[in-house]
């Protein structure tokens, strides 16, 4: 399956969820936001939201400050 991750083409195995992608990327489950095809994926849906060929995923780190 081919996806676009933060603007970069990437090949991943089929039947991958958002949460599984985060694990593969070694990203923490906290402090990030995931957008799938221009829609925010709530953290509670990361394990059930499956990725499909051609999906566009944007992952951003949330930074606090003042």
């Amino acid at each position: 399956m081919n996806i676009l991750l933060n603007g970069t083409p990437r090949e991943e195995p089929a039947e991958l969820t958002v949460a599984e992608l985060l694990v593969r990327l070694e990203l923490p489950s906290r402090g990030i936001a995931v957008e799938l095809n221009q829609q925010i994926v709530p953290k509670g849906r990361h394990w059930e939201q499956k990725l499909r060929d051609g999906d566009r995923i944007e992952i951003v780190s949330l930074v606090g400050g003042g």
Side-chain angles (χ1 to χ4, degrees), residues 5-6 22 27-35 40 46 57-63:
L5 178 62
N6 290 350
L22 296 177
L27 293 173
S29 61
R30 293 164 44 98
I32 61 165
V34 178
E35 182 182 280
I40 296 292
H46 285 186
I57 299 103
E58 294 289 327
I59 301 173
V60 295
S61 296
L62 305 176
V63 179

Side-chain angles (χ1 to χ4, degrees), residues 4-5 16-22 28-52 55-60 62:
L4 197 60
L5 178 62
L16 190 66
T17 66
V18 168
E20 291 167 333
L21 177 63
L22 296 177
S29 61
R30 293 164 44 98
I32 61 165
V34 178
E35 182 182 280
L36 174 61
N37 299 324
Q38 301 182 338
Q39 298 289 321
I40 296 292
V41 179
K43 183 180 174 184
R45 296 203 50 219
H46 285 186
W47 282 104
E48 63 189 56
Q49 180 65 60
K50 292 185 180 177
L51 301 177
R52 297 186 184 354
D55 279 347
R56 294 173 176 244
I57 299 103
E58 294 289 327
I59 301 173
V60 295
L62 305 176

Side-chain angles (χ1 to χ4, degrees), residues 2-19:
N2 293 302
I3 60 173
L4 197 60
L5 178 62
N6 290 350
T8 303
R10 183 177 175 97
E11 189 169 333
E12 290 291 339
E15 297 298 319
L16 190 66
T17 66
V18 168

